[in-house]
Amino acid sequence: MEHITLLIAIVIVTALVFDFTNGFHDTANAMATTISTGAMKPKAAVAMSAVLNLVGAFLSVEVARTISGGIIDESAGVRPEVIFAGLVGAIIWNLLTWLVGLPSSSSHALFGGLIGATIASVGLDAIHGDAVVMKVIVPALVAPLVAGFAAMWATRLTYRVARNADDRATSKGYRAGQIGSAALVSLAHGTNDAQKTMGVMTLALIAGGALAPDSDPPMWVIASAGIAIALGTYLGGWRIIRTLGKGLTDIQPPQGFAAQTSAATTILASSHMGFALSTTQVCSGAVMGCGLGRKGGVVHWSTARKMVVAWGLTLPAAGIIGALGALLAEQGTWGVSAVLALLIVVSTAIFLRSRRDPVDHSNVNDVNDVNEPVAGGGAGRADAEPAAIPEAVAVPLQVTIPQAASAARAGDEPSVPDKPTTTV
């Protein structure tokens, strides 16, 4: 193994912590639709996704090369403490968006943290602006649209082909197809997102003189990054799974299959070309596309707007945190210690806050707002399909009208009979 100083070791451990948060933050990308339609049990879904994330980490290093040598100039004097500060900015933003259940981009949090810390420490010249535009910003704008349109037309084609088939038989087939497509998304996620952490670890080793410039990630870097993202995935980011699976659109098995297949194709193609795109944005775009592809398209635009705002804030917000951390970390050992202490305090506070309203595999499919207006005429058109109401809120009000009326005249609460004659 390369000669590693204490500071580089801290950076590598922090990078693996980010990789872990990336795993549970982005579990929803692969498994939200599969869980929401009941194609797989929640725990089994995240277990399968974790294994395939690990496998995907070993398939390619193209994205890792983009991170380690494409965005930041390795020869510009970027020191390990700067990379450490950038990782802290990415982790804090990941945890904040996880707390509120928003599927923001872990990838853009990482890019923002690194870019902000590098600019604050070395200057703007240390950033390869053309690489940022062509391999980060352009894919961020194009990939969700491509996946969304592909999912929309795939959904329409799916419903058209199966319009005369037996609903029960097709639902069973599409659920099986969802499992296969979810596996493909998980594999693609490991291929793309795990490599980003590999790239950061490689950049830290190069900055610390432990690796030669333009080196590929060593095998131990690849393995540790794959294991970290797999463990995070198995933990399950249940808050974001709920938002993407139930809060954005009402997904049926044919839609889930179309969305996941479109997303996986987009991610794998981008990974092959070295584009470090956001798997979160791709999968969210595909989910919205499949909602619009069904007759009476059901997309909750208020949730979608919050997601888009979070996407726009991710790069600058993580960049600001990373820049402040870099200015502090450059003060020496006490500065690095202060940034580490800040990370621990903020992370602990976010975790304790999340325990007030826990979301896990037992209540991930429960939603509160089932009457939100939907897009495409879903709330006002005669041909719109009604939104599905989860079991947790679908409680029938069984009160007989005569008894309710007499109870109201007497000023008492109406009783609920064992055998109501009229159900409201």
Side-chain angles (χ1 to χ4, degrees), residues 21-422:
T21 67
N22 190 352
F24 74 75
H25 195 280
D26 289 3
T27 308
N29 296 343
M31 290 301 167
T33 60
T34 305
I35 292 171
S36 68
T37 61
M40 290 187 73
K41 297 295 184 182
K43 294 294 288 184
V46 297
M48 183 184 79
S49 184
V51 171
L52 291 170
N53 266 275
L54 177 59
V55 173
F58 290 88
L59 297 183
S60 171
V61 293
E62 291 301 321
V63 175
R65 291 194 187 105
T66 298
I67 301 298
S68 62
I71 294 176
I72 296 174
D73 187 355
E74 298 170 344
S75 61
V78 176
R79 295 187 298 277
E81 54 264 35
V82 176
I83 301 172
F84 169 66
L87 287 167
V88 169
I91 292 171
I92 290 177
W93 185 254
N94 262 1
L95 293 176
L96 286 172
T97 51
W98 164 78
L99 179 64
V100 297
L102 281 177
S104 66
S105 171
S106 296
S107 304
H108 288 179
L110 177 60
F111 300 146
L114 290 175
I115 291 171
T118 301
I119 292 175
S121 175
V122 183
L124 192 59
D125 292 339
I127 305 298
H128 293 152
D130 54 344
V132 173
V133 171
M134 296 305 299
K135 293 206 170 186
V136 177
I137 296 178
V138 171
L141 297 174
V142 174
L145 296 176
V146 171
F149 278 110
M152 181 179 69
W153 288 108
T155 299
R156 292 182 178 180
L157 178 62
T158 298
Y159 276 105
R160 181 176 295 275
V161 169
R163 64 184 181 274
N164 296 322
D166 178 68
D167 289 341
R168 182 174 299 180
T170 55
S171 292
K172 185 179 296 186
Y174 281 126
R175 284 192 170 93
Q178 269 194 281
I179 295 174
S181 59
L184 191 59
V185 174
S186 298
L187 192 68
H189 183 261
T191 303
N192 198 283
D193 277 42
Q195 287 190 55
K196 293 162 189 170
T197 301
M198 297 176 206
V200 172
M201 294 167 68
T202 304
L203 179 62
L205 292 169
I206 292 172
L211 277 182
D214 300 322
S215 296
D216 285 340
M219 181 55 66
W220 68 267
V221 169
I222 296 173
S224 59
I227 292 170
I229 199 169
L231 290 174
T233 300
Y234 183 72
L235 180 66
W238 303 111
R239 293 171 180 273
I240 300 176
I241 290 175
R242 172 187 284 183
T243 299
L244 200 56
K246 289 292 185 180
L248 187 57
T249 184
D250 171 38
I251 301 176
Q252 295 180 354
Q255 294 170 278
F257 174 71
Q260 289 172 322
T261 303
S262 302
T265 303
T266 304
I267 295 168
L268 287 172
S270 299
S271 297
H272 178 70
M273 293 183 288
F275 290 150
L277 53 72
S278 166
T279 55
T280 299
Q281 293 181 0
V282 172
C283 293
S284 299
V287 169
M288 283 188 273
C290 79
L292 293 173
R294 194 181 75 187
K295 185 179 180 181
V298 182
V299 176
H300 297 274
W301 287 116
S302 64
T303 302
R305 282 193 296 270
K306 293 175 185 176
M307 288 169 49
V308 173
V309 169
W311 294 351
L313 290 176
T314 295
L315 269 169
I320 291 172
I321 299 173
L324 294 175
L327 294 175
L328 184 58
E330 286 190 321
Q331 303 306 310
T333 303
W334 73 267
V336 173
S337 301
V339 174
L340 181 60
L342 176 65
L343 173 62
I344 294 172
V345 169
V346 172
S347 301
T348 302
I350 291 174
F351 174 76
L352 294 177
R353 174 62 184 84
S354 72
R355 293 298 86 199
R356 296 183 188 177
D357 53 341
V359 180
D360 56 27
H361 64 92
S362 64
N363 63 353
V364 66
N365 282 334
D366 299 346
V367 293
N368 296 321
D369 185 8
V370 296
N371 297 314
E372 184 180 0
V374 293
R381 284 171 42 185
D383 61 348
E385 299 182 25
I389 300 178
E391 292 180 3
V393 294
V395 181
L397 180 60
Q398 298 176 329
V399 181
T400 56
I401 291 178
Q403 288 180 342
S406 61
R409 287 193 296 270
D412 298 326
E413 294 291 331
S415 61
V416 180
D418 293 333
K419 296 181 179 180
T421 58
T422 305

